[in-house]
Every structure is written in structure tokens, then in C-alpha cells.
Amino acid sequence: MALFNANNCKAFLAPIFLFGFFISGLELAGAQSVGVCNGKNGNDLPSDGEVIDLYKSNGIGRMRIYEPYSTTLDALRGSNIELIIGIHNKDLQGLTDAAAATTWVQNNIRNYWPDVKFKYIAVGNEVHPGDAKAQYVLPAIQNIHNAIAVAGLQDQIKVSTSIDTTLLGNSYPPSAGSFSDSANSYITAIVNFLVSNGAPLLVNVYPYFSYTGNPSQISLPYALFTSPGVVVNDGNLGYQNLFDAMVDAHYSALEKAGAPNLQIVVSESGWPSEGGDAASADNAGTYYKNLINHVKGGTPKKQGQAIETYLFAMFDENLKGPEEIEKHFGLFLPNKQNKYQITSFG
């Protein structure tokens, strides 16, 4: 989860996007395009078995986890839940060794496949070009992919990485979206690999942080999908929500990077219920409901193409931080009580 970057504030003058699932009252309409991230940064969270049962009882068909927790993977066996499995940033350097990558795939993928339905492997999360670990991302992706290919699973499981919106140098209007000079060489090499192997780019998209970082230029209705009309005109395209504008700015950046057909998967998106500006149960419930309904229709640049999206997150996590708001993105409380009563999805 990337907090607001003032240098990239215009990325937030764009649209939003929705997907479907069912939480108590939240209908996961089109559950095949929606998932929920399952974080572990809490000391009061339900057991893995209870978590899987909660996903299933609410019709949530996709999950993202951030490390290969064996207890989670065991609980997922036979659940039919599609999974993004993450590789922690601290483990990237070690996986630049091909033998280590082969061992990782054996221990965390092959030992569970096909009982666990792996969909993507996210090699690193929000690694920035200036980070010391940035040099390890592409070699680790390549080695994990090669190990997946040796296992004969390259058509079933795609290997990628998850970025945040700060890699854009320009994002307004969305058609002007481009990667920053500092990010260009880093991300272009990764993008070329993804294109060659038919893998999507995973992007964490948070209109909340865009709005709270620049409230004088971005309206709350634009961030919550409640604007009554077009807010941003961009050529022949009109943007009525910030989520869409942020996603399409990335599609524009990919076009400029020579990858016009690369798919984007929104690997995180959410709104906090407390702990900061505009963080309330009402706003969060509105955001999630509207996002769920919106994503199946696509963005202005990709109309009619449902965007695979993962809500962040399943539970409030009391060990996240340092900002208080990071503890309050859950759709459920740790006692499995739902936080939002959303009953209509149109």
C-alpha cells in the first residue's frame, strides 16, 4: 500500500473502477472478476480454516496472500479459490539464484498444485526503482518463471510483480500517463518480460490516498464513484471517477513503453473506515459497493473489458502501521463481523 506522493498528485484526478463479491450484504456479482487480499498483520485474526470458510460463504472466489504461509496453503486445498501468492521483498535477492528459485517453486507451488489453484505469483510488492532491492526483481521473476516452466505450469500460473502508482511521472490527463524517468528503465525491462510471457502487470490502485493528498483539486464524489457526471475530459474520453483515471493512466504509460496490449490486474484497492481524513464507514462502504459494481464494465480506454480487481483487505489488521489508517481497511473485523451492509448492486 503506497501512501500519497505529492509529486504524483495529478494521478489522482482520474476515474475509478469496480468488481463484484458478496459480504454479508455485499454482493460479489461476477465473483470471477473480484478477489480480496488476505493479510496477516494482526494478532487477533481468525484461523486459516475459518478465513477460507468466510471466503466461501461470501462467494469470494479469489484471494491474494503476501507470503507462502503453509497453513494458508493447506487450508486452501480443494477450496477452488484462485490465488495470487506473493514473494516478500526481503526474499528477492536469494531468488536471483536459479537453484533457490527452483526450490521455492517446489516447496510452495508444486507441493500444493493442483489442490490449490495458483493464478499469479507476485514477485515483490511495491518495489521502487531507487530501492536497493530493485535490481533483484527482474532476475527473480525470470528464475521463478523458468522453474514454473520446468514444472509445465507456465500456461496456468503467470509470474509478475506488483507496483504502486508512484512509478508514474505524469498521470494527468490519463492519456498523458507515462512512467517517470527514474522508473522507466526499471519497469520497461519488467514489462517486456511480461509481454513475452503473457503475464499481466499487477498494480495497487488507491484513490483514497490520491484524494487525501490533494483534496483541493480532487473532489470526494470523484474518488467515491458518486460524481453525477463527467469530471475530466480527455480527448474523446470522459472520466467520472478517479479509479478509472488512475488505471487508464497506467495503460497510457504501458502504450508509451511499447506494451499497448499488456493487461493490468488491480492487485489492491480499498478505503479505510477510520484513522484519517475522509476515513469513515460510510465512505468506505460507498467505495467498496461502487467499485464492485464498476469493475465489470471496464475503464473508458478499455470499455467492456472487466478488470480483475482485489479488494484490500479481508480484515482490519492491528499490527499494520505506522499510520493508524493502515489498521482499518478490512471488510470484516477480526471476529468475522462484517463492517458494511451493502445490499444492492444493480
Side-chain angles (χ1 to χ4, degrees):
M1 176 191 306
L3 301 184
F4 173 73
N5 181 340
N7 294 326
N8 200 32
C9 67
K10 288 185 178 179
F12 308 129
L13 294 173
I16 308 178
F17 184 121
L18 301 174
F19 48 110
F21 88 93
F22 192 84
I23 292 186
S24 177
L26 256 93
E27 182 184 352
L28 285 124
Q32 285 313 300
S33 65
V34 174
V36 180
C37 301
N38 179 24
K40 290 277 199 175
N41 292 312
N43 59 13
D44 55 356
L45 299 175
S47 69
D48 290 286
E50 291 176 286
V51 173
I52 303 308
D53 287 343
L54 197 59
Y55 270 70
K56 292 165 69 176
S57 66
N58 285 280
I60 305 170
R62 288 177 171 159
M63 176 188 291
R64 180 183 180 185
I65 61 175
Y66 294 86
E67 292 186 63
Y69 299 104
S70 60
T71 54
T72 304
L73 294 173
D74 283 332
L76 280 164
R77 289 184 187 272
S79 68
N80 214 37
I81 293 172
E82 294 183 338
L83 185 68
I84 301 179
I85 184 171
I87 293 175
H88 198 284
N89 295 351
K90 64 180 172 54
D91 297 324
L92 295 174
Q93 183 175 2
L95 294 172
T96 61
D97 175 72
T102 298
T103 299
W104 190 95
V105 167
Q106 178 64 53
N107 291 342
N108 301 302
I109 303 295
R110 299 182 73 170
N111 283 355
Y112 296 93
W113 178 272
D115 295 339
V116 176
K117 294 184 64 175
F118 298 101
K119 187 173 177 68
Y120 308 121
I121 301 173
V123 181
N125 184 54
E126 298 185 349
V127 178
H128 297 146
D131 293 351
K133 294 180 175 63
Q135 62 185 308
Y136 308 129
V137 175
L138 181 56
I141 290 174
Q142 292 169 326
N143 285 340
I144 292 292
H145 169 80
N146 290 340
I148 289 291
V150 168
L153 297 173
Q154 69 275 13
D155 293 332
Q156 291 84 12
I157 305 171
K158 296 300 182 179
V159 184
S160 186
T161 190
S162 188
I163 67 169
D164 62 29
T165 55
T166 64
L167 270 62
L168 294 184
N170 191 20
S171 57
Y172 183 80
S175 61
S178 61
F179 294 112
S180 66
D181 291 342
S182 61
N184 202 48
S185 60
Y186 165 74
I187 193 63
T188 298
I190 291 172
V191 163
N192 289 339
F193 180 87
L194 299 179
V195 170
S196 297
N197 292 283
L201 178 64
L202 311 180
V203 184
N204 298 340
V205 179
Y206 283 94
Y208 172 78
F209 291 116
S210 300
Y211 164 71
T212 57
N214 193 18
S216 64
Q217 295 187 51
I218 302 171
S219 72
L220 183 60
Y222 188 55
L224 291 176
F225 301 93
T226 57
S227 293
V230 170
V231 175
V232 173
N233 286 294
D234 185 8
N236 62 348
L237 299 179
Y239 288 88
Q240 198 167 338
N241 65 79
L242 179 55
F243 179 89
D244 282 344
M246 295 173 75
V247 173
D248 276 357
H250 284 80
Y251 273 120
S252 295
L254 290 173
E255 290 170 2
K256 295 176 180 67
N261 297 316
L262 185 62
Q263 177 194 0
I264 288 174
V265 169
V266 176
S267 45
E268 291 182 11
S269 192
W271 196 285
S273 58
E274 61 179 281
D277 293 342
S280 69
D282 283 347
N283 286 343
T286 297
Y287 180 78
Y288 285 123
K289 179 199 73 167
N290 288 334
L291 180 62
I292 289 166
N293 288 330
H294 181 75
V295 293
K296 52 195 171 194
T299 66
K301 280 180 73 72
K302 302 287 184 178
Q303 292 183 30
Q305 299 180 28
I307 295 186
E308 185 176 342
T309 305
Y310 292 77
L311 300 173
F312 188 90
M314 192 66 170
F315 299 103
D316 284 351
E317 298 172 64
N318 64 359
L319 298 182
K320 285 188 70 69
E323 302 295 333
E324 177 65 22
I325 52 170
E326 295 191 46
K327 305 179 193 296
H328 303 289
F329 277 82
L331 299 166
F332 292 87
L333 298 171
N335 65 4
K336 300 186 289 184
Q337 176 68 41
N338 64 293
K339 290 167 61 178
Y340 310 112
Q341 294 288 342
I342 303 176
T343 57
S344 175
F345 292 89

